[in-house]
Amino acid sequence: MRGRTALIAVGAIVAATVAIALSITGGPMSARRERYDAARYQELVKLARILRCESQRGSSQALPETLSVESLRTYCGGIERHTSDLTDNETGEQYSYERLNSRAFKICAKFYDPKILESRRYHLNVPGYLFDYETGCISGSVR
Amino acid sequence: MTAIDSLDLFVKEGLSAGRSRQELDEALSRAGWTQREIRKALSKYADTEFTPPVPRPAHTLTARHTFLYALLFVAMAFTASYLVVIVHQLIDLQLPDIFRDVHVSPRRLRWAAAMLIVWTPVFMFMSYYVARSSASDDSIRKSPVRKWLTYLALFVSALILLGDGVYTINQLLQGDLTVRFVLKAATVAVVAAVVFYYYLRDAEEASDEG
C-alpha cells in the first residue's frame, strides 16, 4: 500500500524463502519418489507380517524356499495373495527374498533413498524384525 | 441533538450567514473544538461562495471497496503468517534437535510454500491495484470500509503473531535449543514489526481522512 520498493522487497524475500525451502525438501519429482518409497516400505512390512505367520504360532513353520503366490499357498496353513502384493508397484519387479535358514529370512526392495524413511519416522513395529535403512531390507526370524 | 450534530448545524448556519471558513475555524477553536473535528465539519461543505452551502457527497460504502480491501488484507495475513511458518520450518531443519521434532515435516513446509506461492502475488497485486485505483478514485481511500478493514486486519494479524509468539516461547520452555528460539522469536518480531509499521500508519491515515 505504500512504497513500491517495500512491496518488491517482500516479494523477493518470499520468493527466496520458497526457493530455499523447495531446494531443501525437493520438488514434485522428489516428493513422488518419497511416496513410492513409502509404499515399498509398507509392502515389505506386510510381507514380513505374512512370513511371521502369527496364526500358527504354536507349530514350527519352515519358511518357503522361494516367495511366490504358489509357495505361499502351502505356507502357514495356506495364504492367498496376488502377485501384485509381491511386486514393486512402480517397477513391477518382485521384491527379493532370501531364505537364510528354515527360520530366518531377508526381504528387500529397491528404494530411491531408504535413509529418508528414518527421518520420516517409519519405524518397524513387528517384534524381532529389523529394517535396515542402508540397504532397504527387512530381516527377521519366524518364532 | 448530539455534540457533533450541533457542530454540523453551526457550520451550516455559519456558512449560510456568509461567514468565512477562517472565522468559523477561529470561533470553534476558541470554543474548545479540536482542529481535527473542525476540519472534518468544514470539509462536509464544498469550498465555494455559493449560498446556501453546498454539501459534499458522502463517501459511500460499496461492495467493490469491501471486496478489494478484504482480499488485500486476507492476502496480507496469509503471506505474513506462512512466511513465519516456512522460516520456522527451515530453522528446525537446519538446526535439528536430537529429540524428535514433532512438528518438522516436509508436508508442512510444502504446504507453507504452496500458500505463499498463491497468496503473495495476490497480496502484491492487490496492494498495487488499490494504490492505483485510489490515485484516480478518491472514494476508495476515503471509504469507511478501508478504515474498518484496516483495523480488523491489524487485529487478526496481532492475534496470529501473538499466537506465534506464545508458541515460540512455549518451545523454549519445553527445552528447545536457545539459538533456535532466538532465531524463531526474531522472525516473528520482524514480521510483526513490518506489518504493524505499514498498516498502523495506513489505519491512522484512514481515520484522519474520516
Side-chain angles (χ1 to χ4, degrees):
Chain A
M1 267 186 173
R2 72 176 47 252
R4 192 156 298 181
T5 43
L7 211 53
I8 292 177
V10 167
I13 289 174
V14 168
T17 314
V18 168
I20 291 173
L22 290 182
S23 72
I24 288 180
T25 57
M29 274 311 298
S30 163
R32 197 161 179 77
R33 288 202 193 106
E34 281 174 30
R35 287 173 79 174
Y36 277 127
D37 276 355
R40 283 180 190 116
Y41 180 82
Q42 302 294 3
E43 293 223 303
L44 281 187
V45 172
K46 272 199 287 190
L47 273 181
R49 286 218 155 89
I50 290 170
L51 291 169
R52 185 170 165 74
C53 194
E54 295 282 346
S55 56
Q56 310 267 329
R57 196 90 73 81
S59 60
S60 57
Q61 281 287 315
L63 287 168
E65 295 286 337
T66 60
L67 196 62
S68 65
V69 178
E70 295 80 29
S71 64
L72 280 180
R73 285 207 189 101
T74 55
Y75 182 70
C76 194
I79 295 178
E80 274 297 328
R81 282 291 181 275
H82 285 292
T83 336
S84 58
D85 296 323
L86 307 174
T87 56
D88 190 319
N89 289 334
E90 191 193 1
T91 62
E93 284 176 33
Q94 234 196 348
Y95 294 121
S96 80
Y97 168 77
E98 196 183 325
R99 185 183 192 270
L100 303 173
N101 56 54
S102 71
R103 312 201 60 74
F105 67 88
K106 191 159 99 165
I107 44 176
C108 304
K110 276 217 202 81
F111 288 87
Y112 284 114
D113 189 359
K115 287 192 231 38
I116 287 188
L117 293 172
E118 192 172 13
S119 56
R120 302 278 183 271
R121 295 186 312 274
Y122 282 83
H123 294 307
L124 201 47
N125 282 333
V126 187
Y129 284 14
L130 183 71
F131 180 76
D132 188 341
Y133 293 102
E134 301 282 324
T135 59
C137 297
I138 292 181
S139 51
S141 43
V142 181
R143 201 89 65 71
Chain B
M1 190 188 290
T2 66
I4 297 297
D5 286 342
S6 59
L7 173 62
D8 282 347
L9 190 60
F10 170 79
V11 168
K12 185 168 179 227
E13 288 180 346
L15 290 174
S16 303
R19 298 281 193 177
S20 75
R21 283 165 173 259
Q22 185 70 4
E23 290 177 300
L24 293 174
D25 192 321
E26 280 170 17
L28 287 168
S29 294
R30 263 185 274 120
W33 293 91
T34 68
Q35 264 308 301
R36 220 187 194 198
E37 287 164 327
I38 296 171
R39 244 189 308 127
K40 221 172 167 182
L42 286 173
S43 71
K44 288 214 173 98
Y45 294 96
D47 199 353
T48 66
E49 299 291 311
F50 195 87
T51 54
V54 186
R56 278 231 185 110
H59 301 297
T60 52
L61 196 72
T62 69
R64 183 166 173 262
H65 297 166
T66 311
F67 166 72
L68 288 179
Y69 276 105
L71 192 58
L72 170 64
F73 287 130
V74 165
M76 182 206 73
F78 276 137
T79 298
S81 41
Y82 278 97
L83 185 59
V84 171
V85 167
I86 208 174
V87 173
H88 278 192
Q89 289 284 307
L90 285 176
I91 292 172
D92 280 338
L93 275 177
Q94 295 303 94
L95 301 174
D97 207 333
I98 54 166
F99 303 110
R100 282 279 144 78
D101 279 314
V102 184
H103 298 289
V104 176
S105 68
R107 190 168 300 164
R108 203 150 187 244
L109 195 73
R110 287 174 178 138
W111 178 255
M115 278 292 212
L116 287 174
I117 287 171
V118 170
W119 285 105
T120 305
V122 169
F123 164 64
M124 291 173 69
F125 175 72
M126 291 307 295
S127 291
Y128 160 74
Y129 183 74
V130 165
R132 203 188 63 172
S133 302
S134 305
S136 50
D137 179 5
D138 227 23
S139 70
I140 289 186
R141 278 177 71 76
K142 302 203 166 150
S143 163
V145 174
R146 176 184 169 207
K147 181 169 69 161
W148 278 96
L149 283 183
T150 306
Y151 275 110
L152 183 63
L154 276 179
F155 173 63
V156 171
S157 301
L159 290 182
I160 292 173
L161 290 163
L162 287 172
D164 281 343
V166 168
Y167 179 80
T168 306
I169 289 183
N170 178 57
Q171 293 284 76
L172 175 73
L173 294 177
Q174 304 281 14
D176 199 10
L177 302 173
T178 317
V179 178
R180 277 192 355 175
F181 161 72
V182 168
L183 288 176
K184 285 180 168 182
T187 311
V188 175
V190 166
V191 172
V194 169
V195 167
F196 274 79
Y197 174 69
Y198 278 106
Y199 289 98
L200 209 52
R201 279 213 296 179
D202 218 74
E204 281 174 6
E205 211 182 80
S207 56
D208 271 343
E209 291 172 12

